[in-house]
Amino acid sequence: MTRDTSGIGAEPPVALVTGGGTGLGLAIARRFAKDGYTLVIASRSAEHLAHGSDVLRAEGGTVLTVPTDVREPAQVDALFAKVKEKFGRLDVLVNNAAGNFVARSEEMSPNAWRAVVGIVLDGTFYCCRAAFPLLRASPRPAVVNIVASYAWLAGPGTAHSAAAKAGVVSLTRSLAVEWAPHGIRVNAVAPGPVRTEGTDRQLWVSEALTESVRSGIPLGRFGTPEEIASAVSFLAGREAAYITGEVLTVDGGQWLGHGVMDLLAQAKGRERA
Ligand code: HXC
């Protein structure tokens, strides 16, 4: 499918996806490429970037890869300087880069906490901040942040991620209001359980856990990365022109049906102190 990108300048619009080399981020990047955007993908991992650019180029996309640790403000500034130098524009920013693992809070080291909060919350802020001048100059700018429904519920076993995602929800709403006068819309997508190589490794660590999570989803299945990408594309596009500061949950009804998913208890068995 090719999106109608007319009216947003002579050159193809540019979308930047952090963590865009693999998994959900790559699915989002592929969707924007199909929508007619030039892609920028950023990741800490050269291997992930090479994989992402191979996939995007094989599908006919134009892609710039920039090695970046979003926890480092200087690297983030350099990322957006590169985008400006190479394309002179940025129309869509998707803050997708994340880190996560299952651990009890009382056993989490300060460094473990900082690793996840640094990627998810600090990284999102640094990218938004650095993207602002380019976005402000775009005829139809949008930011889409990837969060999770446990941002407004609870994340037992992933307290670092839940706290960081809750921060990103708040940041989304604050920026939506601050940047509305500049025409920059800022929204979020809250995916439910989705299976990718990364989540299989970090979260869905056993068949029993996976089945237990699946059975708690009212629609009866995990989501696909493409279904999440479709929501991101919608929020970034002209059909969402009057939507800002919103969080679109794409979770098969999970949070409404069963509320909190206790990853730690399900993964390791509930232990009594
Ligand atoms: C306890 C852990 C740990 C684990 C790392 N740490 N993994 N502690 N259990 N499984 C601790 C380390 O011991 C260290 O603390 C600190 O975290 C930093 O770890 P490093 O490996 O040195 O850091 P880094 O290389 O930056 O790794 C970042 C990471 C890692 C977040 C920790 O997991 C990562 O990069 N993951 C890949 C991205 C990812 O997870 N994506 C999936 C997101 S899915 P000490 O004190 O020892 O130095 C997602 C969706 C959720 O978020 C939605 C659900 C519905």
Side-chain angles (χ1 to χ4, degrees), residues 89-178:
R89 69 184 291 171
L90 180 69
D91 302 282
V92 173
L93 167 64
V94 181
N95 287 298
N96 163 79
N100 207 352
F101 52 81
V102 177
R104 290 187 179 282
S105 294
E106 67 274 22
E107 291 166 3
M108 210 181 273
S109 73
N111 201 33
W113 172 269
R114 274 196 301 272
V116 171
V117 175
I119 296 168
V120 174
L121 181 55
D122 298 350
T124 298
F125 172 71
Y126 297 152
C127 287
C128 287
R129 178 184 168 281
F132 176 75
L134 283 167
L135 290 172
R136 186 173 50 179
S138 163
R140 231 191 304 138
V143 177
V144 183
N145 297 323
I146 306 301
V147 296
S149 60
Y150 56 40
W152 53 89
L153 292 165
T158 55
H160 44 13
S161 173
K165 299 283 192 187
V168 173
V169 170
S170 176
L171 179 64
T172 300
R173 292 176 177 146
S174 297
L175 292 182
V177 176
E178 282 191 27

Side-chain angles (χ1 to χ4, degrees), residues 25-250:
L26 180 54
I28 294 167
R30 291 174 68 196
R31 174 58 192 255
F32 277 99
K34 282 192 190 125
D35 287 349
Y37 287 76
T38 291
L39 264 299
V40 182
I41 57 175
S43 166
R44 276 187 297 166
S45 160
E47 195 186 325
H48 290 179
L49 288 175
H51 172 71
S53 70
D54 284 352
V55 170
L56 289 161
R57 288 194 177 117
E59 294 176 350
T62 304
V63 58
L64 170 69
T65 60
V66 187
T68 312
D69 185 339
V70 295
R71 292 174 287 192
E72 298 297 334
Q75 291 189 32
V76 170
D77 288 348
L79 163 65
F80 289 91
K82 186 97 185 167
V83 174
K84 184 175 181 189
E85 177 198 317
K86 182 90 178 167
F87 302 117
R89 69 184 291 171
L90 180 69
D91 302 282
V92 173
L93 167 64
V94 181
N95 287 298
N96 163 79
N100 207 352
F101 52 81
V102 177
R104 290 187 179 282
S105 294
E106 67 274 22
E107 291 166 3
M108 210 181 273
S109 73
N111 201 33
W113 172 269
R114 274 196 301 272
V116 171
V117 175
I119 296 168
V120 174
L121 181 55
D122 298 350
T124 298
F125 172 71
Y126 297 152
C127 287
C128 287
R129 178 184 168 281
F132 176 75
L134 283 167
L135 290 172
R136 186 173 50 179
S138 163
R140 231 191 304 138
V143 177
V144 183
N145 297 323
I146 306 301
V147 296
S149 60
Y150 56 40
W152 53 89
L153 292 165
T158 55
H160 44 13
S161 173
K165 299 283 192 187
V168 173
V169 170
S170 176
L171 179 64
T172 300
R173 292 176 177 146
S174 297
L175 292 182
V177 176
E178 282 191 27
W179 290 358
H182 302 287
I184 305 171
R185 296 181 304 102
V186 187
N187 290 292
V189 168
V194 170
R195 291 194 72 169
T196 65
E197 268 182 42
T199 56
D200 278 1
R201 192 172 51 248
Q202 300 290 109
L203 296 175
W204 324 128
V205 291
S206 73
E207 273 310 309
L209 169 64
T210 305
E211 175 51 25
S212 160
V213 170
R214 189 206 59 74
S215 68
I217 302 168
L219 284 181
R221 64 173 176 84
F222 279 67
T224 66
E226 291 72 24
E227 288 169 325
I228 307 305
S230 171
V232 176
S233 168
F234 165 70
L235 283 175
R238 71 159 78 232
E239 284 164 13
Y242 200 50
I243 302 175
T244 197
E246 188 54 270
V247 183
L248 178 53
T249 306
V250 186

